[in-house]
Each structure stands twice: as C-alpha cells, then as structure tokens.
Amino acid sequence: MYWADELATRVSGPQVVNDSKTPSGTIHVGSLRGPVTLDVIARALRDRGLETQVLYGIDDLDPMDTQSLLTGDAVERSLGVPLAHVPDPAGDEHASYARHFAGLFIDTFDQLGVHPDRYYWMSEIYGAGEMDRYVRIALERAQEVRDIYREVSQVERPPGWLPVHVVCPTCGRIGTTLASDWDGETVAFTCLPDLVEWARGCGTTGRLAPFGGAGKLPFNVDWAARWSLLGVTIEPCGKDLATAGGSRDRADAIARRVFEREPPVRVDYEFLNIRGQKMSTSRGRGAAAHEMADVLPAEQLRLLFLRPRPNQAIEFDPQGTDAIPRLFDEFDRLAAAVAGRAFRGELPQDYERLFAMSLPDGSEVAAEAAAFRPPFAHLAFLLQVPGVDLAAKVAAEKGEPLTDRERAILDERVRAARAWLETYAPERARVAVHDELPSSAAQLDDQQRAFLTALAAHLAGDRSDGSWTGDALQAAVFDVAREEDLLPANAFAALYAAFLDRPNGPRAGWLLASLAPDFVRERLRAAGQAA
C-alpha cells in the first residue's frame, strides 16, 4: 500500500493537514517536498472519504537572521526585524520582504496541483490577537516550558527566562529582545546590543503587553500553540526539525504539557541532496524553487519528491548531469506500465499509485498514461537540428495526429528541454550533426566499419511505413551489432563518430530518426568505406 494510503487508514474523522515556511530569502526547490507531501496526504485522506482541510502558513513574524545572510538576500539595516516589517527588496509592489519571497515560492503551488484551502500569515494571526490566549498560557506556565527544554533537549534556560520575543518599540527588532518579569499583563524587556551575533539591539528597556502582534512565542512554543489554534491533526516535518530531542520533540511535549492537547500525527521527510549534501540555495547548492518549476513540468517535479518514501533522502543534481532527462524517462516508464505498454527497467511496487499521485490536480489516470510522450533526450536533440518541424516529427513517430493534450505535453517538454539545454545540460548533450563525413570516422576499426555498412543495408528500402522511429532504429542498431558480433558500446561509438565527430551522444536510434533516411544511409555507407 502506498505510504500516504497507509497513513489514511490510521486516522478517522475530520482532518486538518498543515505545513509552513519562513521566507528568509530565496527558497530552494528542495523546500517543495513539504507542500507536495502535504498535498499527497490530503489526496489519500479524501480518497478514503475523510473531510480534510489543508493549511499552509508563512512564518513572517520571524526575524531576518543568519539564514537571510546566507542567501545573500539580507538587508543589513533590517537584521533582527520581523520579515513582515522589512520592505520589499525588489521594489515590485509586494507589501514586505516576506511577501516577496513567499510569493515567489507559493506561486509554484498552483502549477504543481497543490491547492491549500487556506494560506495564513503569522504576522496577521498575531496582529489580530488570535494567539493572545496562547501567549498568556505560555507566560503563566513559563517554568513548565523551561523544564521541557531541559528535559527533552538538555537546553538550560536561565531562571526568569520567558517564552516570548517582543518587538522593540524603538528599533522594531524582535530578534534582539529578552523578556522577563511577567506581571499578568506586561513583561519587562531589554533590546540587547549583543544578544545575537547577526544583529545589534538598540539598548531600549521598558515594559509592554506582548499581545496583538507586539510579541511572538519562540518557535517550538509557537508551533505547539498554532496546532491548538488551527486544530491541526497531521503535519509533515523536515528532518532538520525531527531529530531526537529537536524542535518537533520539544513542540510535542509543549503541546501536551502546556497547551494540553495531543500533537498532530508526524510525517517526517528527508532532504533533497546534491552529492550527499542538503540542497540549500543559501549555501549555493541547488536551484530556486520558482526557477526549477519553470524547467520541470508539474508531473515530473511531483515525481521527483514522491518516488521515494518521505523518510528517504533524494539525490538530485541537475547541473551538468542527466538527472532531468532520467526523471522524464522514469515518468514515461510508469506511464507505459500503467497503460499496459512495453517498457524497460524496473518498477516500484506501488507504481500505479505513484503515477496517479504524480499527476497534478487528480488528472484522469488512464488517459494520461495512454497519452503519447516523446522521449525528453530525443526532443533535446531535435531542438538542435536545423529545420525540424517538431510537431510533425513527433506525430510521425506516434503514427497518427497528436491530440490536444499531447500537443500540450509536447509544448511543456519543448520548454523544459530548451531550459535544460540552456542551463543544466552536460556538454555531451549539446550536439551538431556534421554536413560532411567527420575525420574521426577514419579512426574506426574494420569491425566498426563493417557494422556501419551492414546497418546501411539493413535500413535500405522504403521507410514510409512508420518504421523510421527512435525505438525501431535503436532496435536495428542492436540487431545489426549482434549479427556483426560487435559490442553495442563499439557500435554506438561508430555511429557517434560518423555523425557527430565525437565518442558519445544522445540515444542513437533517436539521433538517426531525426535525420532524413537517405542522408543516414549515405553517411553510413561513406563511413563504412572510410580509412
């Protein structure tokens, strides 16, 4: 059973599924794993007939801190100020820094088929007084909160420490204030110049009531409080927060012992890694979410996050690799299996459900599986061949006109292939067929030349019957290589030398299929005679 369906069998009654993000700056594509996981859980719950509400929060009352510094998006004079109070750095009419970066991120949700029933902004939640009750409870039970920090995480808070950060009325910073002496209505506070390394407080001291947005609970306490406020029953959680004794464990204990409610069901998910390291735009590893969403169509981007279980890390390095073409190939293999067509490679046990969950907006599964999808690497090659009518070429390979949906798929893949070639593709993917026989053909050995001559003969005759396709020509290469007792690797090397003047290239069958049959046969004969 698919993991989300397993989860759905363990709960009953109405469900509220929640996730949130702090918009510290540019948000990398790995952060989309949370929203996609959120959506899949909701689909599984609704498929089981459970009333389900999906929430997504923006933690914009958090201060601009070291994370913003790492992204290079920080505004130095605003360090320590709530992200909701920092001006839009791009000047593109967003209400704040938080609205700008969160907007870039959540603008990708619609195209991914992720549609929360409600977006909420913590600056508005606090500002409207909705968290006041929980701020008061946390202050009244401050000793219990301190005990939890010590018992769960071995973090010792000093006597008198209060679980609230107030906004300094003088400099507007929330990351530099320390509160003490709760009297039932107000707290004493100091805006300290040296409380943190990344921001300097102004030295103001005083008392204020930490309500209505004038104060905010620390992260772990805030997390537990919003579960009560919003009635959250299930919440995905990134690995960095889910370590033993970490943020989620503290929040669970605070929920039970301070706010007296059972915490939501946990769904811990792993990181998206590049070469074994967590993808992080702030550290120069990985593409921004909105940029990658412009390259990968929704079905492939969803598959990237859904093919492993949530607790398994994802290795994905798009730069200079075939990671993106392989992702398209994997999706096409799933589609072929669901549609009952032949395919190569292995399938996950739950491949039908995985394919369905990869489709945005609950698309009709059978129709999507049956749709003709040209191989991605083949398209990337065709885009580099002058004068090719892509729509006509793809329709010819299908053997009949494309449907409206198939034309839309082709358009998506063409855009993705162009973007891949421009930004991510390895040099070997950038190819040009030589008009004249390349000099490297003279370096082929006798067995390779014999193979090319035999392949030309095999491909002779009228090919207007639809057999001039990537699949058919790829099979022909293997068949002739076997007949000539030539290793496939040496056969492909001979083809690449004859057409591209290089030892490697795109899939040979699709390379040949993109070219005129007469040109291919003549080039094969010429290369077979070269010496």
Side-chain angles (χ1 to χ4, degrees):
M1 184 181 292
Y2 190 62
W3 66 264
D5 297 319
E6 291 175 354
L7 172 63
T9 65
R10 301 200 306 267
V11 299
S12 60
Q15 300 294 313
V16 177
V17 190
N18 178 68
D19 195 12
S20 63
K21 184 67 179 172
T22 299
S24 299
T26 303
I27 300 173
H28 66 80
V29 65
S31 295
L32 285 171
R33 191 171 195 181
V36 171
T37 300
L38 194 77
D39 176 69
V40 167
I41 292 169
R43 286 194 193 184
L45 294 169
R46 288 166 176 161
D47 286 349
R48 190 166 172 260
L50 298 176
E51 179 185 339
T52 302
Q53 183 182 29
V54 178
L55 308 179
Y56 198 85
I58 307 298
D59 295 320
D60 60 336
L61 204 55
D62 290 354
M64 178 173 284
D65 59 10
T66 51
Q67 194 64 28
S68 299
L69 283 168
L70 289 169
T71 65
D73 296 318
V75 181
E76 188 171 355
R77 66 179 179 277
S78 297
L79 286 167
V81 175
L83 296 167
H85 302 170
V86 179
D88 177 0
D92 53 5
E93 300 184 356
H94 287 98
S96 68
Y97 178 102
R99 295 273 174 170
H100 172 79
F101 288 106
L104 288 174
F105 185 56
I106 62 181
D107 281 351
T108 66
F109 287 16
D110 270 353
Q111 69 193 76
L112 282 173
V114 177
H115 306 294
D117 299 293
R118 176 191 172 192
Y119 289 100
Y120 62 90
W121 301 76
M122 290 309 294
S123 61
E124 294 180 352
I125 295 285
Y126 276 95
E130 295 179 54
M131 290 288 280
D132 287 356
R133 173 171 178 263
Y134 302 99
V135 172
R136 185 176 293 277
I137 292 172
L139 290 171
E140 296 289 352
R141 301 180 181 178
Q143 183 58 55
E144 185 71 26
V145 175
R146 291 194 291 269
D147 291 344
I148 290 169
Y149 273 75
R150 183 183 65 257
E151 295 166 11
V152 175
S153 304
Q154 290 74 55
V155 173
E156 193 69 46
R157 297 299 186 189
W161 175 88
L162 293 178
V164 69
H165 301 300
V166 300
V167 179
C168 175
T170 302
C171 68
R173 289 181 172 83
I174 194 172
T176 55
T177 60
L178 190 63
S180 61
D181 190 30
W182 164 245
D183 65 8
E185 292 299 329
T186 66
V187 296
F189 75 92
T190 303
C191 186
L192 294 165
D194 57 356
L195 182 64
V196 293
E197 294 182 358
W198 39 267
R200 290 188 61 80
C202 65
T204 296
T205 63
R207 299 193 71 89
L208 57 73
F211 305 116
K216 175 191 176 296
L217 296 169
F219 172 62
N220 304 135
V221 187
D222 171 277
W223 200 3
R226 80 175 72 181
W227 293 337
S228 291
L229 175 70
L230 302 173
V232 179
T233 60
I234 301 173
E235 179 148 344
C237 172
K239 175 186 175 181
D240 52 341
L241 305 177
T243 55
S247 291
R248 180 61 198 251
D249 284 354
R250 288 195 295 268
D252 285 355
I254 291 167
R256 293 186 178 103
R257 292 164 56 178
V258 176
F259 300 119
E260 299 178 354
R261 62 119 45 204
E262 191 62 22
V265 173
R266 293 175 60 159
V267 182
D268 300 344
Y269 58 86
E270 265 275 9
F271 297 137
L272 190 65
N273 295 335
I274 293 180
R275 295 180 293 278
Q277 294 183 295
K278 177 187 175 185
M279 184 175 284
S280 171
T281 305
S282 65
R283 298 183 183 275
R285 293 194 299 271
H290 63 281
E291 293 173 353
M292 188 55 65
D294 288 339
V295 176
L296 290 175
E299 54 197 25
Q300 278 73 44
L301 194 48
R302 288 180 67 96
L303 176 62
L304 172 64
F305 297 114
L306 297 179
R307 54 186 176 179
R309 294 180 71 90
N311 62 357
Q312 296 174 332
I314 300 170
E315 291 291 336
F316 182 68
D317 183 3
Q319 192 65 54
T321 73
D322 292 324
I324 287 176
R326 287 198 302 270
L327 189 60
F328 279 87
D329 290 346
E330 183 172 359
F331 182 88
D332 293 351
R333 182 164 57 251
L334 293 175
V338 171
R341 301 190 302 273
F343 62 91
R344 292 181 178 178
E346 297 181 354
L347 294 172
Q349 188 172 6
D350 47 13
Y351 71 90
E352 292 176 294
R353 189 61 162 158
L354 174 59
F355 178 77
M357 288 295 193
S358 297
L359 301 174
D361 297 320
S363 307
E364 210 285 310
V365 174
E368 286 296 312
F372 182 78
R373 289 175 167 83
F376 180 85
H378 179 43
L379 273 184
F381 173 73
L382 290 177
L383 286 170
Q384 301 174 79
V385 178
V388 172
D389 183 334
L390 279 175
K393 190 73 174 175
V394 171
E397 291 177 356
K398 178 189 176 187
E400 59 185 7
L402 301 181
T403 66
D404 289 345
R405 173 59 184 145
E406 288 167 342
R407 283 183 173 274
I409 291 170
L410 174 60
D411 289 344
E412 284 183 341
R413 292 196 168 199
V414 167
R415 285 194 299 272
R418 288 189 193 280
W420 180 67
L421 288 169
E422 291 171 4
T423 307
Y424 299 105
E427 190 56 37
R428 66 178 181 276
R430 298 180 175 90
V431 297
V433 175
H434 286 238
D435 293 332
E436 304 293 335
L437 181 66
S439 59
S440 60
Q443 307 302 315
L444 300 176
D445 62 32
D446 292 343
Q447 196 174 15
Q448 287 176 308
R449 288 196 293 272
F451 158 74
L452 294 175
T453 300
L455 183 60
H458 184 89
L459 299 179
D462 182 12
R463 289 278 170 170
S464 61
D465 60 355
S467 61
W468 196 261
T469 66
D471 280 327
L473 293 171
Q474 188 82 350
V477 171
F478 278 105
D479 289 344
V480 174
R482 184 169 54 253
E483 291 168 3
E484 296 295 320
D485 197 25
L486 181 66
L487 291 174
N490 293 337
F492 290 129
L495 287 168
Y496 297 137
F499 288 90
L500 306 178
D501 197 22
R502 52 192 286 184
N504 52 40
R507 294 174 69 182
W510 281 262
L511 166 62
L512 301 180
S514 69
L515 304 171
D518 287 344
F519 174 80
V520 170
R521 287 190 287 262
E522 181 56 36
R523 175 60 56 85
L524 291 171
R525 293 188 193 104
Q529 297 169 3

